[in-house]
PDB file of all heavy atoms in Angstrom:
ATOM      1  N   LEU A 103    -120.454  86.569  42.403  1.00  0.00           N
ATOM      2  CA  LEU A 103    -119.888  87.539  41.472  1.00  0.00           C
ATOM      3  C   LEU A 103    -120.997  88.209  40.653  1.00  0.00           C
ATOM      4  O   LEU A 103    -120.935  89.409  40.383  1.00  0.00           O
ATOM      5  CB  LEU A 103    -118.872  86.875  40.541  1.00  0.00           C
ATOM      6  CG  LEU A 103    -118.105  87.824  39.620  1.00  0.00           C
ATOM      7  CD1 LEU A 103    -117.329  88.871  40.417  1.00  0.00           C
ATOM      8  CD2 LEU A 103    -117.166  87.050  38.708  1.00  0.00           C
ATOM      9  N   GLU A 104    -122.028  87.450  40.308  1.00  0.00           N
ATOM     10  CA  GLU A 104    -123.166  88.036  39.594  1.00  0.00           C
ATOM     11  C   GLU A 104    -123.867  89.087  40.457  1.00  0.00           C
ATOM     12  O   GLU A 104    -124.275  90.138  39.954  1.00  0.00           O
ATOM     13  CB  GLU A 104    -124.164  86.948  39.192  1.00  0.00           C
ATOM     14  CG  GLU A 104    -123.659  86.017  38.109  1.00  0.00           C
ATOM     15  CD  GLU A 104    -124.673  84.946  37.785  1.00  0.00           C
ATOM     16  OE1 GLU A 104    -125.015  84.145  38.681  1.00  0.00           O
ATOM     17  OE2 GLU A 104    -125.133  84.898  36.632  1.00  0.00           O
ATOM     18  N   ILE A 105    -123.995  88.809  41.746  1.00  0.00           N
ATOM     19  CA  ILE A 105    -124.596  89.781  42.661  1.00  0.00           C
ATOM     20  C   ILE A 105    -123.717  91.026  42.746  1.00  0.00           C
ATOM     21  O   ILE A 105    -124.202  92.160  42.705  1.00  0.00           O
ATOM     22  CB  ILE A 105    -124.831  89.158  44.053  1.00  0.00           C
ATOM     23  CG1 ILE A 105    -125.937  88.099  43.978  1.00  0.00           C
ATOM     24  CG2 ILE A 105    -125.194  90.231  45.077  1.00  0.00           C
ATOM     25  CD1 ILE A 105    -126.109  87.277  45.246  1.00  0.00           C
ATOM     26  N   LYS A 106    -122.396  90.833  42.839  1.00  0.00           N
ATOM     27  CA  LYS A 106    -121.473  91.970  42.888  1.00  0.00           C
ATOM     28  C   LYS A 106    -121.616  92.832  41.635  1.00  0.00           C
ATOM     29  O   LYS A 106    -121.527  94.060  41.700  1.00  0.00           O
ATOM     30  CB  LYS A 106    -120.023  91.485  43.019  1.00  0.00           C
ATOM     31  CG  LYS A 106    -119.660  90.943  44.385  1.00  0.00           C
ATOM     32  CD  LYS A 106    -118.204  90.494  44.398  1.00  0.00           C
ATOM     33  CE  LYS A 106    -117.772  89.993  45.772  1.00  0.00           C
ATOM     34  NZ  LYS A 106    -116.356  89.563  45.779  1.00  0.00           N
ATOM     35  N   ALA A 107    -121.849  92.182  40.507  1.00  0.00           N
ATOM     36  CA  ALA A 107    -121.990  92.919  39.247  1.00  0.00           C
ATOM     37  C   ALA A 107    -123.251  93.789  39.233  1.00  0.00           C
ATOM     38  O   ALA A 107    -123.343  94.746  38.468  1.00  0.00           O
ATOM     39  CB  ALA A 107    -122.009  91.950  38.071  1.00  0.00           C
ATOM     40  N   GLN A 108    -124.219  93.480  40.094  1.00  0.00           N
ATOM     41  CA  GLN A 108    -125.449  94.273  40.176  1.00  0.00           C
ATOM     42  C   GLN A 108    -125.301  95.477  41.106  1.00  0.00           C
ATOM     43  O   GLN A 108    -126.156  96.365  41.117  1.00  0.00           O
ATOM     44  CB  GLN A 108    -126.607  93.398  40.680  1.00  0.00           C
ATOM     45  CG  GLN A 108    -126.972  92.259  39.748  1.00  0.00           C
ATOM     46  CD  GLN A 108    -127.310  92.742  38.364  1.00  0.00           C
ATOM     47  OE1 GLN A 108    -128.128  93.639  38.200  1.00  0.00           O
ATOM     48  NE2 GLN A 108    -126.659  92.171  37.355  1.00  0.00           N
ATOM     49  N   ALA A 109    -124.226  95.526  41.877  1.00  0.00           N
ATOM     50  CA  ALA A 109    -124.058  96.585  42.875  1.00  0.00           C
ATOM     51  C   ALA A 109    -124.118  98.002  42.305  1.00  0.00           C
ATOM     52  O   ALA A 109    -124.695  98.889  42.941  1.00  0.00           O
ATOM     53  CB  ALA A 109    -122.761  96.377  43.657  1.00  0.00           C
ATOM     54  N   PRO A 110    -123.569  98.268  41.099  1.00  0.00           N
ATOM     55  CA  PRO A 110    -123.675  99.637  40.580  1.00  0.00           C
ATOM     56  C   PRO A 110    -125.112 100.077  40.323  1.00  0.00           C
ATOM     57  O   PRO A 110    -125.388 101.276  40.257  1.00  0.00           O
ATOM     58  CB  PRO A 110    -122.891  99.567  39.255  1.00  0.00           C
ATOM     59  CG  PRO A 110    -121.967  98.416  39.407  1.00  0.00           C
ATOM     60  CD  PRO A 110    -122.718  97.427  40.253  1.00  0.00           C
ATOM     61  N   TYR A 111    -126.017  99.116  40.198  1.00  0.00           N
ATOM     62  CA  TYR A 111    -127.403  99.426  39.855  1.00  0.00           C
ATOM     63  C   TYR A 111    -128.369  99.246  41.018  1.00  0.00           C
ATOM     64  O   TYR A 111    -129.536  99.579  40.901  1.00  0.00           O
ATOM     65  CB  TYR A 111    -127.857  98.522  38.694  1.00  0.00           C
ATOM     66  CG  TYR A 111    -126.834  98.440  37.606  1.00  0.00           C
ATOM     67  CD1 TYR A 111    -126.059  97.297  37.435  1.00  0.00           C
ATOM     68  CD2 TYR A 111    -126.591  99.530  36.765  1.00  0.00           C
ATOM     69  CE1 TYR A 111    -125.089  97.229  36.449  1.00  0.00           C
ATOM     70  CE2 TYR A 111    -125.619  99.467  35.775  1.00  0.00           C
ATOM     71  CZ  TYR A 111    -124.870  98.315  35.621  1.00  0.00           C
ATOM     72  OH  TYR A 111    -123.903  98.253  34.656  1.00  0.00           O
ATOM     73  N   SER A 112    -127.880  98.693  42.119  1.00  0.00           N
ATOM     74  CA  SER A 112    -128.757  98.397  43.254  1.00  0.00           C
ATOM     75  C   SER A 112    -128.120  98.889  44.551  1.00  0.00           C
ATOM     76  O   SER A 112    -127.080  98.376  44.980  1.00  0.00           O
ATOM     77  CB  SER A 112    -129.006  96.888  43.352  1.00  0.00           C
ATOM     78  OG  SER A 112    -129.620  96.566  44.587  1.00  0.00           O
ATOM     79  N   GLU A 113    -128.759  99.865  45.161  1.00  0.00           N
ATOM     80  CA  GLU A 113    -128.249 100.376  46.438  1.00  0.00           C
ATOM     81  C   GLU A 113    -128.248  99.287  47.506  1.00  0.00           C
ATOM     82  O   GLU A 113    -127.354  99.221  48.343  1.00  0.00           O
ATOM     83  CB  GLU A 113    -129.103 101.563  46.890  1.00  0.00           C
ATOM     84  CG  GLU A 113    -128.557 102.273  48.101  1.00  0.00           C
ATOM     85  CD  GLU A 113    -129.360 103.510  48.464  1.00  0.00           C
ATOM     86  OE1 GLU A 113    -130.176 103.968  47.635  1.00  0.00           O
ATOM     87  OE2 GLU A 113    -129.166 104.008  49.580  1.00  0.00           O
ATOM     88  N   THR A 114    -129.254  98.410  47.450  1.00  0.00           N
ATOM     89  CA  THR A 114    -129.348  97.313  48.413  1.00  0.00           C
ATOM     90  C   THR A 114    -128.098  96.440  48.368  1.00  0.00           C
ATOM     91  O   THR A 114    -127.474  96.167  49.395  1.00  0.00           O
ATOM     92  CB  THR A 114    -130.590  96.450  48.111  1.00  0.00           C
ATOM     93  OG1 THR A 114    -131.753  97.238  48.332  1.00  0.00           O
ATOM     94  CG2 THR A 114    -130.648  95.221  49.004  1.00  0.00           C
ATOM     95  N   TYR A 115    -127.728  95.989  47.171  1.00  0.00           N
ATOM     96  CA  TYR A 115    -126.555  95.124  47.048  1.00  0.00           C
ATOM     97  C   TYR A 115    -125.285  95.896  47.365  1.00  0.00           C
ATOM     98  O   TYR A 115    -124.388  95.383  48.043  1.00  0.00           O
ATOM     99  CB  TYR A 115    -126.466  94.536  45.638  1.00  0.00           C
ATOM    100  CG  TYR A 115    -127.667  93.712  45.240  1.00  0.00           C
ATOM    101  CD1 TYR A 115    -128.007  93.559  43.914  1.00  0.00           C
ATOM    102  CD2 TYR A 115    -128.478  93.086  46.184  1.00  0.00           C
ATOM    103  CE1 TYR A 115    -129.116  92.814  43.523  1.00  0.00           C
ATOM    104  CE2 TYR A 115    -129.581  92.346  45.812  1.00  0.00           C
ATOM    105  CZ  TYR A 115    -129.896  92.213  44.482  1.00  0.00           C
ATOM    106  OH  TYR A 115    -130.983  91.480  44.107  1.00  0.00           O
ATOM    107  N   ARG A 116    -125.203  97.123  46.887  1.00  0.00           N
ATOM    108  CA  ARG A 116    -124.013  97.948  47.114  1.00  0.00           C
ATOM    109  C   ARG A 116    -123.782  98.152  48.613  1.00  0.00           C
ATOM    110  O   ARG A 116    -122.655  98.026  49.099  1.00  0.00           O
ATOM    111  CB  ARG A 116    -124.157  99.282  46.389  1.00  0.00           C
ATOM    112  CG  ARG A 116    -122.904 100.128  46.397  1.00  0.00           C
ATOM    113  CD  ARG A 116    -122.989 101.289  45.412  1.00  0.00           C
ATOM    114  NE  ARG A 116    -124.177 102.115  45.583  1.00  0.00           N
ATOM    115  CZ  ARG A 116    -125.209 102.155  44.736  1.00  0.00           C
ATOM    116  NH1 ARG A 116    -125.216 101.402  43.654  1.00  0.00           N
ATOM    117  NH2 ARG A 116    -126.236 102.947  44.964  1.00  0.00           N
ATOM    118  N   ASP A 117    -124.843  98.458  49.353  1.00  0.00           N
ATOM    119  CA  ASP A 117    -124.716  98.684  50.792  1.00  0.00           C
ATOM    120  C   ASP A 117    -124.235  97.439  51.518  1.00  0.00           C
ATOM    121  O   ASP A 117    -123.388  97.517  52.415  1.00  0.00           O
ATOM    122  CB  ASP A 117    -126.047  99.132  51.395  1.00  0.00           C
ATOM    123  CG  ASP A 117    -126.412 100.561  51.010  1.00  0.00           C
ATOM    124  OD1 ASP A 117    -125.548 101.278  50.460  1.00  0.00           O
ATOM    125  OD2 ASP A 117    -127.573 100.949  51.266  1.00  0.00           O
ATOM    126  N   ARG A 118    -124.784  96.272  51.137  1.00  0.00           N
ATOM    127  CA  ARG A 118    -124.384  95.022  51.804  1.00  0.00           C
ATOM    128  C   ARG A 118    -122.934  94.683  51.476  1.00  0.00           C
ATOM    129  O   ARG A 118    -122.173  94.248  52.338  1.00  0.00           O
ATOM    130  CB  ARG A 118    -125.304  93.877  51.377  1.00  0.00           C
ATOM    131  CG  ARG A 118    -126.534  93.642  52.215  1.00  0.00           C
ATOM    132  CD  ARG A 118    -127.239  94.860  52.545  1.00  0.00           C
ATOM    133  NE  ARG A 118    -128.397  94.694  53.424  1.00  0.00           N
ATOM    134  CZ  ARG A 118    -129.318  95.615  53.510  1.00  0.00           C
ATOM    135  NH1 ARG A 118    -129.239  96.726  52.799  1.00  0.00           N
ATOM    136  NH2 ARG A 118    -130.332  95.460  54.334  1.00  0.00           N
ATOM    137  N   LEU A 119    -122.560  94.849  50.218  1.00  0.00           N
ATOM    138  CA  LEU A 119    -121.179  94.551  49.830  1.00  0.00           C
ATOM    139  C   LEU A 119    -120.202  95.539  50.466  1.00  0.00           C
ATOM    140  O   LEU A 119    -119.096  95.158  50.869  1.00  0.00           O
ATOM    141  CB  LEU A 119    -121.057  94.558  48.309  1.00  0.00           C
ATOM    142  CG  LEU A 119    -121.804  93.428  47.606  1.00  0.00           C
ATOM    143  CD1 LEU A 119    -121.824  93.658  46.100  1.00  0.00           C
ATOM    144  CD2 LEU A 119    -121.215  92.068  47.941  1.00  0.00           C
ATOM    145  N   ALA A 120    -120.608  96.800  50.582  1.00  0.00           N
ATOM    146  CA  ALA A 120    -119.756  97.797  51.243  1.00  0.00           C
ATOM    147  C   ALA A 120    -119.577  97.457  52.720  1.00  0.00           C
ATOM    148  O   ALA A 120    -118.483  97.614  53.278  1.00  0.00           O
ATOM    149  CB  ALA A 120    -120.355  99.194  51.091  1.00  0.00           C
ATOM    150  N   ALA A 121    -120.637  96.953  53.360  1.00  0.00           N
ATOM    151  CA  ALA A 121    -120.541  96.562  54.777  1.00  0.00           C
ATOM    152  C   ALA A 121    -119.579  95.391  54.937  1.00  0.00           C
ATOM    153  O   ALA A 121    -118.777  95.356  55.878  1.00  0.00           O
ATOM    154  CB  ALA A 121    -121.921  96.201  55.315  1.00  0.00           C
ATOM    155  N   LEU A 122    -119.641  94.440  54.018  1.00  0.00           N
ATOM    156  CA  LEU A 122    -118.724  93.303  54.069  1.00  0.00           C
ATOM    157  C   LEU A 122    -117.282  93.771  53.869  1.00  0.00           C
ATOM    158  O   LEU A 122    -116.372  93.368  54.602  1.00  0.00           O
ATOM    159  CB  LEU A 122    -119.107  92.277  53.000  1.00  0.00           C
ATOM    160  CG  LEU A 122    -118.173  91.084  52.853  1.00  0.00           C
ATOM    161  CD1 LEU A 122    -118.081  90.292  54.150  1.00  0.00           C
ATOM    162  CD2 LEU A 122    -118.640  90.183  51.712  1.00  0.00           C
ATOM    163  N   ASP A 123    -117.064  94.637  52.891  1.00  0.00           N
ATOM    164  CA  ASP A 123    -115.735  95.165  52.616  1.00  0.00           C
ATOM    165  C   ASP A 123    -115.180  95.908  53.835  1.00  0.00           C
ATOM    166  O   ASP A 123    -114.018  95.710  54.230  1.00  0.00           O
ATOM    167  CB  ASP A 123    -115.799  96.101  51.405  1.00  0.00           C
ATOM    168  CG  ASP A 123    -114.430  96.586  50.987  1.00  0.00           C
ATOM    169  OD1 ASP A 123    -113.754  95.867  50.223  1.00  0.00           O
ATOM    170  OD2 ASP A 123    -114.024  97.693  51.412  1.00  0.00           O
ATOM    171  N   GLU A 124    -116.023  96.722  54.439  1.00  0.00           N
ATOM    172  CA  GLU A 124    -115.588  97.485  55.616  1.00  0.00           C
ATOM    173  C   GLU A 124    -115.238  96.554  56.771  1.00  0.00           C
ATOM    174  O   GLU A 124    -114.235  96.754  57.467  1.00  0.00           O
ATOM    175  CB  GLU A 124    -116.682  98.462  56.035  1.00  0.00           C
ATOM    176  CG  GLU A 124    -116.287  99.322  57.224  1.00  0.00           C
ATOM    177  CD  GLU A 124    -117.368 100.325  57.610  1.00  0.00           C
ATOM    178  OE1 GLU A 124    -118.415 100.394  56.935  1.00  0.00           O
ATOM    179  OE2 GLU A 124    -117.159 101.035  58.597  1.00  0.00           O
ATOM    180  N   ARG A 125    -116.057  95.522  56.967  1.00  0.00           N
ATOM    181  CA  ARG A 125    -115.806  94.580  58.064  1.00  0.00           C
ATOM    182  C   ARG A 125    -114.478  93.848  57.855  1.00  0.00           C
ATOM    183  O   ARG A 125    -113.704  93.657  58.787  1.00  0.00           O
ATOM    184  CB  ARG A 125    -116.960  93.571  58.145  1.00  0.00           C
ATOM    185  CG  ARG A 125    -116.817  92.553  59.248  1.00  0.00           C
ATOM    186  CD  ARG A 125    -116.924  93.207  60.621  1.00  0.00           C
ATOM    187  NE  ARG A 125    -116.831  92.226  61.673  1.00  0.00           N
ATOM    188  CZ  ARG A 125    -115.705  91.950  62.339  1.00  0.00           C
ATOM    189  NH1 ARG A 125    -114.588  92.608  62.069  1.00  0.00           N
ATOM    190  NH2 ARG A 125    -115.698  91.030  63.279  1.00  0.00           N
ATOM    191  N   MET A 126    -114.216  93.473  56.608  1.00  0.00           N
ATOM    192  CA  MET A 126    -112.960  92.785  56.313  1.00  0.00           C
ATOM    193  C   MET A 126    -111.766  93.711  56.560  1.00  0.00           C
ATOM    194  O   MET A 126    -110.776  93.323  57.187  1.00  0.00           O
ATOM    195  CB  MET A 126    -112.968  92.287  54.862  1.00  0.00           C
ATOM    196  CG  MET A 126    -113.943  91.154  54.610  1.00  0.00           C
ATOM    197  SD  MET A 126    -114.149  90.780  52.851  1.00  0.00           S
ATOM    198  CE  MET A 126    -112.564  90.041  52.475  1.00  0.00           C
ATOM    199  N   ARG A 127    -111.862  94.952  56.076  1.00  0.00           N
ATOM    200  CA  ARG A 127    -110.752  95.894  56.266  1.00  0.00           C
ATOM    201  C   ARG A 127    -110.533  96.200  57.740  1.00  0.00           C
ATOM    202  O   ARG A 127    -109.390  96.301  58.198  1.00  0.00           O
ATOM    203  CB  ARG A 127    -110.997  97.172  55.463  1.00  0.00           C
ATOM    204  CG  ARG A 127    -110.753  96.971  53.960  1.00  0.00           C
ATOM    205  CD  ARG A 127    -110.836  98.253  53.145  1.00  0.00           C
ATOM    206  NE  ARG A 127    -112.203  98.748  53.048  1.00  0.00           N
ATOM    207  CZ  ARG A 127    -112.651  99.872  53.589  1.00  0.00           C
ATOM    208  NH1 ARG A 127    -111.844 100.661  54.266  1.00  0.00           N
ATOM    209  NH2 ARG A 127    -113.906 100.242  53.436  1.00  0.00           N
ATOM    210  N   GLU A 128    -111.620  96.352  58.507  1.00  0.00           N
ATOM    211  CA  GLU A 128    -111.492  96.608  59.949  1.00  0.00           C
ATOM    212  C   GLU A 128    -110.779  95.459  60.650  1.00  0.00           C
ATOM    213  O   GLU A 128    -109.948  95.675  61.541  1.00  0.00           O
ATOM    214  CB  GLU A 128    -112.875  96.796  60.577  1.00  0.00           C
ATOM    215  CG  GLU A 128    -113.534  98.120  60.277  1.00  0.00           C
ATOM    216  CD  GLU A 128    -114.960  98.182  60.805  1.00  0.00           C
ATOM    217  OE1 GLU A 128    -115.479  97.148  61.288  1.00  0.00           O
ATOM    218  OE2 GLU A 128    -115.558  99.270  60.728  1.00  0.00           O
TER     219      GLU A 128
END
Side-chain angles (χ1 to χ4, degrees):
L103 186 59
E104 291 178 298
I105 291 171
K106 287 180 178 180
Q108 296 304 309
Y111 315 106
S112 168
E113 187 176 346
T114 294
Y115 301 154
R116 188 167 53 251
D117 288 349
R118 270 45 183 199
L119 293 170
L122 175 60
D123 185 85
E124 182 178 358
R125 180 67 178 97
M126 291 170 71
R127 285 186 289 113
E128 285 174 353

